[in-house]
């Protein structure tokens, strides 16, 4: 029996690169590293234009009291500019531009951790993870050390999210096949950091070929188990993942720790392992470069900050002129306008899709109340009613219909025969409701002061 | 920049300097309103062909007039009202077919035109076009046409299909017959056998006579996932239960089976009560809606002045859809019911 959840959708998988071995890229001519690699405070650059940097050297620091983690150089070379530029999520970020000298020199600070993991305190482990700049690599980029701290004493189960339910992406799949030892090693370190007795590696059943590799690495560590989930979108959403594995429903606004769970992405676990085994902070990640415009789609382990256009060249170049380039998967990824957009710590895929692939509809959007969005909504909302409330500028009703519970998976928009961008309307509602609540709160506080 | 080489073919391929930005999801299922409507038309076909075979060529002419006038009224009102709706969504065609299926074969040829006008212009477009109407257009038009009660309730005998266009009601070329529903209303079991009413060897509106072919169409829609089972099953089960428990004739089981297979019940439960726009969007809501339609149908059939209750029942329930959806809203993920109890506890 495969574990699963209610609702959701079956999407064509398009896993074109499931069998492509990860290729290691070392020499993009320049990298542009954003100082906002995670949720929280942006890092402040600690290097100046003209400085020479080496791989693994800290180039951006965050005060220890703030949420956020340091940023490191991903190539060796010279800092040629520090400027503001737009990154994957559309925001303006301070960005350090490094010209690659091709020498791949590793910084002196990068030294393997020699002590046995059982000899160090969980706090020390957490601090090393912070200093290695590790963030969630699945999408939201929450600093891993902060997640550990929030889960200590609450979580009793560690879940490794290897659902990879988005079509096209195979970065985690390849990681599990090629470097299972890193993932399992990282799990053991994280288990000690959080203090949980059990861990589950949760994989969608379209990746069942990782089973033997994982079991070989787990060996007799029977506190780690592997569970297969039914292949269905959005299985990788943390609420649906917890529900599928434990049957617990996470109430709106609650964190996984409130349900006794802590969730890490497979790539995050591997990054933790690398930070200990090699002493190397998070400076590279696997990016799946794919889509119907790419000549030879593949998986690439590339330095953080590699320009998209360089990755496309590495993937054999273009086969067709793309209309869209998406950072992440097609369901929740963000469309990019700049062909040179640099990757970030949470960029799991680059997707180049042609106009014919994302066919435009001639007819204007009209809801026919078919109910598909209601049936598919994993949060069991009535998406169509939230959308129509927003069309009428009625945010109160949108909130009443549960807009704030929406996880923005896009299952509603995907299956809409009337081609209404339902989830986008809900995003508008969430944004408006948040702004309005903040305004009300400020007004109330101001009134109390008087 | 501007070009990236394809290393497989050594050709330069253009890379736009600015790519298109749009909200996710960037993938869409191939389902469209037009494809759904096409499935509805396919599902209606068996019952429609049987209806034309039974009622005669004149029935085909009525269907044609109804469809063509629906499409013309749709096109004209879309143009006049400056709406950007596409006729390709086929919804006007579906309305035309269903309206014609709800008419007796002997109606004057202007009636489908008037009905189409009422359905498309008054009920659908004046309320905002596709997806915005409150009641089912074809049903509202049928009820509007019942203003001409004589024309709408005289049914030629099933034994003699009407093949000529010129018919005069009450004259010798039309043999009026009592439909099974009229007998049931009088508290007697009809002359037609249950086999006749099931297959459709009875008098009635063009598309409503054959329960068998309507059910086949319904199964097609359920298999294709165009409709869910909730409304038809709840509707038909409610009628079955009520007519079995409170029969109007001495044989309860037979009476129930006649009630199920006569009149517009199957057409209504499978094709009209399930109209997306005018039925609830939630699963619980669909069940409530179906039960409500069934109960009202039986009440009207038993106590109303008109032998048939399906159209009125569905129209009344159409008006309540919004409130039914509020009641039927699914329990939100992670939402616990205890909250309310706690709040009450605090108050007291």
């Amino acid at each position: 029996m495969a574990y699963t959840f209610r609702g959701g959708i079956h999407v064509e998988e398009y896993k074109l690169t499931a069998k492509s071995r990860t290729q290691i890229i070392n020499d993009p001519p320049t990298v542009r590293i954003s100082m906002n690699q995670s949720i929280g405070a942006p890092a402040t650059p600690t290097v100046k234009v003209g400085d020479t940097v080496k791989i693994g050297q800290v180039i951006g620091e965050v005060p220890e009291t703030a949420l956020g983690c340091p940023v490191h150089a991903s190539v060796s070379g010279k800092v040629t500019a520090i400027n503001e530029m737009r990154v994957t999520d559309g925001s303006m970020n301070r960005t350090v531009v490094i010209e690659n000298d091709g020498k791949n020199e590793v910084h002196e600070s990068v030294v393997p951790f020699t002590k046995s993991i059982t000899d160090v305190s969980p706090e020390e482990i957490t601090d090393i993870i912070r200093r290695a700049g590790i963030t969630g690599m699945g999408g939201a980029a929450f600093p891993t050390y902060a997640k550990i701290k929030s889960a200590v004493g609450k979580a009793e189960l560690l879940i490794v999210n290897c659902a990879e339910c988005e079509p096209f992406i195979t970065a985690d799949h390849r990681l599990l096949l090629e470097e299972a030892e890193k993932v399992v090693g990282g799990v053991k370190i994280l288990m000690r950091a959080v203090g949980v007795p059990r861990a589950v590696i949760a994989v969608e059943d379209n990746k069942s070929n990782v089973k033997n590799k994982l079991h070989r690495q787990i060996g007799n560590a029977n506190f780690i188990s592997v569970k297969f989930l039914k292949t269905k979108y959005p299985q990788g959403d943390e609420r649906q993942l917890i529900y599928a594995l434990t049957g617990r429903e996470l109430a709106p606004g609650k964190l996984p720790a409130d349900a006794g769970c802590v969730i890490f992405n497979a790539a995050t676990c591997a990054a933790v392992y690398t930070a200990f085994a090699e002493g190397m902070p998070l400076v590279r990640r696997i990016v799946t470069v794919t889509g119907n415009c790419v000549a030879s789609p593949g998986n690439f382990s590339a330095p953080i900050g590699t320009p998209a256009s360089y990755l496309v060249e590495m993937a054999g170049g273009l086969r067709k002129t793309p209309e869209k380039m998406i950072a992440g998967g097609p369901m929740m990824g963000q469309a990019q306008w700049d062909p040179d957009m640099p990757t970030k710590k949470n960029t799991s895929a680059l997707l180049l899709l042609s106009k014919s692939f994302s066919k435009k509809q001639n007819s204007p959007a009209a809801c026919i109340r078919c109910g598909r969005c209601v049936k598919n909504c994993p949060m069991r909302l009535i998406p169509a009613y939230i959308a129509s409330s927003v069309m009428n500028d009625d945010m109160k009703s949108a909130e009443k219909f549960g807009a704030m519970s929406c996880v923005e998976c896009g299952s509603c928009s995907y299956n809409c025969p009337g081609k209404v961008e339902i989830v986008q309307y809900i995003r508008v509602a969430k944004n408006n409701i948040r702004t309005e609540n903040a305004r009300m709160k400020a007004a109330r506080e101001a009134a109390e002061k008087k | 920049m501007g070009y990236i080489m394809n290393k497989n073919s050594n050709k330069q391929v253009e890379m736009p300097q600015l790519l298109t930005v749009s909200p996710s999801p960037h993938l869409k299922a191939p389902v469209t309103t037009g494809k759904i409507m096409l499935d509805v038309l396919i599902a209606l076909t068996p019952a429609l062909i049987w209806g034309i075979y039974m009622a005669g060529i004149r029935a085909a002419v009525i269907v044609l007039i109804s469809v063509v006038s629906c499409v013309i009224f749709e096109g004209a009102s879309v143009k006049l009202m400056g709406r950007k709706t596409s006729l390709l969504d086929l919804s006007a065609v579906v309305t035309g077919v269903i309206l014609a299926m709800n008419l007796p074969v002997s109606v004057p040829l202007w009636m489908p035109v008037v009905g189409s006008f009422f359905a498309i212009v008054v009920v659908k477009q004046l309320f905002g076009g596709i997806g915005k109407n409150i009641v089912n257009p074809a049903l509202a038009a049928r009820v509007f046409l019942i203003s001409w009660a004589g024309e709408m309730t005289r049914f030629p005998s099933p034994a003699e299909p009407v093949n000529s266009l010129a018919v005069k009601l009450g004259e010798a070329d039309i043999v009026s017959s009592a439909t099974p529903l009229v007998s049931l209303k009088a508290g007697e079991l009809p002359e037609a056998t249950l086999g006749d009413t099931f297959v459709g060897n009875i008098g009635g509106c063009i598309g409503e006579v054959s329960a068998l072919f309507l059910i086949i169409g319904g199964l097609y829609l359920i298999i294709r996932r165009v409709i869910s089972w909730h409304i038809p099953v709840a509707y038909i089960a409610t009628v079955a239960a009520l007519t079995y428990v409170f029969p109007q004739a001495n044989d309860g089981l037979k009476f129930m089976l006649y009630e199920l297979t006569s009149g517009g019940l199957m057409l209504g439960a499978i094709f009209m009560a399930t109209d997306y726009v005018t039925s609830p969007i939630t699963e619980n809501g669909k069940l409530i809606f179906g039960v409500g339609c069934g109960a009202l149908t039986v009440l009207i059939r038993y106590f109303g002045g008109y032998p048939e209750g399906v159209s009125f029942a569905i129209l009344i329930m159409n008006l309540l859809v919004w409130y039914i959806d509020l009641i039927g809203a699914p329990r939100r993920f992670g939402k616990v019911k205890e909250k309310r109890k706690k709040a009450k506890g605090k108050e007291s």
Side-chain angles (χ1 to χ4, degrees), chain A residues 249 316 330 364 369 385 400 427, chain B residues 24 26 84 279 325 332 334:
Chain A
E249 288 186 12
R369 298 173 40 89
Y385 283 178
K400 217 174 64 194
R427 288 188 190 116
Chain B
S24 64
H26 307 282
K84 286 183 195 155
S279 66
D325 264 344
R332 248 175 247 167

Side-chain angles (χ1 to χ4, degrees), chain B residues 184-302:
Chain B
L184 290 170
K185 176 111 188 139
E188 311 159 355
L189 295 182
E191 276 172 40
T193 64
L194 274 172
D196 286 338
T197 57
F198 183 66
V199 177
N201 196 15
I202 47 171
C205 295
I206 295 169
E208 72 180 19
V209 286
S210 172
L212 172 66
F213 288 113
L214 289 165
I215 291 171
I216 290 174
L219 290 176
Y220 173 81
L221 289 182
I222 290 173
I223 290 167
R224 297 275 296 161
R225 300 194 180 199
V226 171
I227 62 170
S228 69
W229 57 269
H230 299 82
I231 293 176
V233 169
Y235 194 160
I236 294 166
T238 306
V239 173
L242 288 176
T243 50
Y244 182 72
V245 177
F246 308 108
Q248 300 282 76
N250 40 24
D251 189 335
L253 182 66
K254 266 194 165 173
F255 180 81
M256 173 195 90
L257 291 173
Y258 274 116
E259 284 280 350
L260 293 187
T261 52
S262 314
L265 179 66
M266 290 297 164
L267 182 60
I270 296 168
F271 289 97
M272 299 192 292
T274 56
D275 170 27
Y276 286 156
V277 178
T278 55
S279 66
I281 198 166
T282 60
E283 279 183 6
N284 294 335
K286 285 176 186 177
L287 290 174
I288 300 170
F289 181 84
V291 170
C293 285
L296 282 173
T297 300
V298 174
L299 279 175
I300 297 169
R301 278 186 181 181
Y302 279 14

Side-chain angles (χ1 to χ4, degrees), chain B residues 95-113:
Chain B
T95 303
V97 171
I98 292 188
L99 173 62
M101 289 173 86
N102 273 302
L103 300 176
V105 65
S106 50
V107 290
L109 295 180
W110 56 263
M111 279 184 68
V113 180

